Each structure stands twice: as structure tokens, then as C-alpha cells.
Amino acid sequence: MRHFIIRQCCTGLFGAVVMAPVFGETSADTPLESVQRVFPESTGWKSFCLSDDVQLLRCLMPDKTTHMYCATRSTKAGFRLVKAHGVSVVDDQFARFSLKNGTVLAYHSSGEVLARLPLWDAPPALYAPAAEQVRLRLTGTDDNLLLCEAENLTQVPVLLRPGRVQIITTEDGEVVWSNLLVRLQTETLLPPRGKVQLQLNLVVKRNTNPKGLMRKERVDLVYLADDVAPTRSLAIAPAVVLQPGMPELGELGGFFPIRLRDDLAVAYQLGFTGRADSRELEFYRLRNGVWQHVSSPVVRSTRSPSRFKCVDDEVRVYDIEGWKLAEFQLP
């Protein structure tokens, strides 16, 4: 999976730095011209008229593996880019679109909402909570296994492709991105509104029964599908199953937002320089039902951020072994 973080101030592509014009100043005579200034090397443009003044355009990014959806709005000065959202080609199941209350709704052919994409009103960018299609619950452990219940929350079949499952634990206000990694090894079809019991294979720390997980205050499971095409076109095939209510950020590759509090989430990536000793954290606050990007501090360490502790508006960041890496005061 590819990585795209798109905000109103710039466009960042994982593995390279591509700085776009300030989107608030990007205007042109036609919707296509307004987005081609930001994505000049993209091809295969398609357009969808959403209203008298809002048009959605889709292009194929130069990597040939990602679709970028760009919404434009008509202004007195011309057309402005007011939303960009990256989707892996193999995961792109958007069949139709509508515009409601300043938000683009993307639907599966079955009519299920796959994504809610608020248009940018002012910097920084706004993100709706991701549409919840599957809920994962830890039910037990065994030798080299995690036992999990997958519940389909939709009215149509959902296909879980093989993929990895990351474990997030919360205890006494500390959120830990666990170094335990498990995999769903086989393709699994969830019937509409149905539940299926899964066995997730432990792929690190072999010969270990992680019994301690069952004693944690809270355990969340985040699923990321392998980058392979779904085998059933009529089923929804999610690329990711996040913790409930997390912001819909588009393509994130191996990174994803995690819940620090009910109103605070964080995602991180390698710094734009690509240096191994640089991690950029992206913090988001939930305000009036919409996630807003609030800060992008950088952790300079070869150790990966894995533990987070919130004290009011201060966030303390640690590695998996408990070494303190940084602390930040959020706006």
C-alpha cells in the first residue's frame, strides 16, 4: 500500500518530497486545470459532477497504483482544489458519489458508504470518522494464536483478505502500539450482519502465548489487508479496519491513526527527509463530529514511537521499552 497525507497546506508523498501550491490559492479556468497544477504528472482523468459548483475528478498517480480523488469548487477567481484523497487501485471500490452538507460521500455498488470526505473549509484539513464496516474483538489466546471475533456491520458481504493485524492496548491512560504482530492467513468472507471467529497467527515472538493481553484494560485490533486484489467483486473488501471512530485519512501504507483519547488520535510516518532517525507525528482532535489536524511535531530518534501518555494537552512519547523520546504540548 502507498502512503499519502494530504492537507490544505501541502502534499506529501512517502519516499519523496513534493510540495504543492497553497491550495487556498490554487484556482484556474476549469476544474481539471486547478488539480493538474497540483498533480501535473497524473493521467487517466475522470470527472463526476456533484453540484452546480463542486466537481470531483479522479486521476491515476505516477506510481500507477494509486487513484487520487480531487474535489474542486467554483469561486469568483476560478476553480479551487478543496479536497484530495488517495485510494489504492486494488482497494478502490468507489462506485458513485454524492455531496451532502459539505461532505463527499463515496458509495459501494451495494449502496454502503465507504468513505466520508469533508471539503476543506479553512486550514488545517478536516476528516470525517471512517465508515465502520467491520468490528474486531479479542476473545482469547492460545499457543502462537490470538482468537478474534469479526462482526460485519453492513448489509452486504465483507471480504477480509489475508493481512496483518496490529495490537493496540490501553491501560491507566497509556496507549501502546504492541510489538506483537499477528496475521490473518486465509481469506475470510463475512456474511451480512454476521459474525465469524478468526484465528490470528502470531508471527513474532514465536512459542509465546500472550495471555497477558486478556488482563489488559482495553485491547483493540487494527487490520491491514495485503496489497492483493479482492476475489469477490460484490463484497466490500476493506483495506483497513481501524479502531472505531478514527479519522479517514486516505492511503497510509503501514501507518494508521490510533486512539489516544476519545477526542485525540495520532498517526506517524518517517520524516519527509526519509532519515531513519526522524518520525513525524500527526495529531488530530475530534471537534463537532469532525477530526481536525492540529499539529505535526517531529521525534528525532532511531527508536520508534510505541507508547503514548496524555496528561491534559501534553503528550509524552516513549519507545516500546519505555525510553522517553519526546513530549509535546498540543494547541
Side-chain angles (χ1 to χ4, degrees), residues 138-141 167 169-172 209-219:
L138 179 68
T139 58
T141 64
I167 302 165
T169 65
T170 304
E171 193 159 28
D172 295 330
N209 185 335
K211 296 177 182 178
L213 286 177
M214 299 304 296
R215 297 191 294 269
K216 293 291 185 181
E217 177 183 321
R218 174 169 178 163
V219 178

Side-chain angles (χ1 to χ4, degrees), residues 144 164 180-183 185 201-206:
N144 298 320
R164 65 186 179 90
L180 290 175
L181 180 63
V182 293
R183 279 190 59 82
Q185 301 283 32
N201 295 83
L202 202 65
V203 294
V204 294
K205 294 193 179 290
R206 302 294 296 175

Side-chain angles (χ1 to χ4, degrees), residues 77-92:
F79 289 90
R80 293 177 54 208
L81 178 63
V82 291
K83 186 67 180 182
H85 184 82
V87 180
S88 168
V89 170
V90 298
D91 292 319
D92 190 353

Side-chain angles (χ1 to χ4, degrees), residues 94-125:
F94 295 171
R96 60 184 180 87
F97 308 89
S98 68
L99 180 66
K100 294 182 180 179
N101 300 322
T103 297
V104 177
L105 300 181
Y107 300 89
H108 188 264
S109 57
S110 67
E112 293 283 343
V113 175
L114 296 182
R116 298 177 177 89
L117 314 175
L119 302 183
W120 294 320
D121 295 320

Side-chain angles (χ1 to χ4, degrees), residues 276-312:
D277 63 349
S278 176
R279 307 287 195 281
E280 183 176 39
L281 301 180
E282 304 280 353
F283 287 97
Y284 303 85
R285 284 189 186 274
L286 185 63
R287 292 170 174 159
N288 301 318
V290 179
W291 290 93
Q292 185 177 35
H293 177 265
V294 294
S295 181
S296 299
V298 174
V299 174
R300 303 203 179 277
S301 174
T302 56
R303 299 172 179 264
S304 296
S306 297
R307 297 174 178 262
F308 300 87
K309 181 81 171 182
C310 298
V311 180
D312 297 325

